Amino acid sequence: MKKILALALFGLTAVAPITAIPATAQTVAAEQTVTFAVDNMTCALCPITVKRAMESVEGVRAVEINFEARTATVVFDTAATSADAIATASANAGYPARVSG
């Protein structure tokens, strides 16, 4: 009887992790990297504001600002956001951005 119970429990534990994974976790997110030209960056604090604005968009994974080139390179999840949403967040912070290149 103990062997049957042990086998039944072992069988359930082997199956449980597979069925416990939500369907959303099983989908593979597609990442995209986009470089934006950013207007109005004139001082050392401007890149910080732009970075915070872009990072606040859900789905943004990383933001790198190049103050001298006046650009922002953003890595984001295409299932969660778009380049337009990121540009809008920057514009709302006072720094209009457009996809470069």
Side-chain angles (χ1 to χ4, degrees), residues 40-78:
N40 300 341
M41 286 200 299
T42 58
C43 71
L45 291 177
C46 295
I48 296 168
T49 304
V50 172
K51 184 173 182 165
R52 285 183 182 164
M54 290 180 168
E55 286 176 335
S56 72
V57 177
E58 186 176 335
V60 170
R61 306 262 192 254
V63 178
E64 287 187 33
I65 305 292
N66 183 328
F67 177 67
E68 292 174 0
R70 307 293 195 260
T71 61
T73 302
V74 182
V75 179
F76 62 94
D77 177 357
T78 58

Side-chain angles (χ1 to χ4, degrees), residues 25-39:
Q26 293 176 1
T27 58
V28 177
E31 283 191 349
Q32 184 175 359
T33 302
V34 173
T35 299
F36 296 89
V38 183
D39 297 332

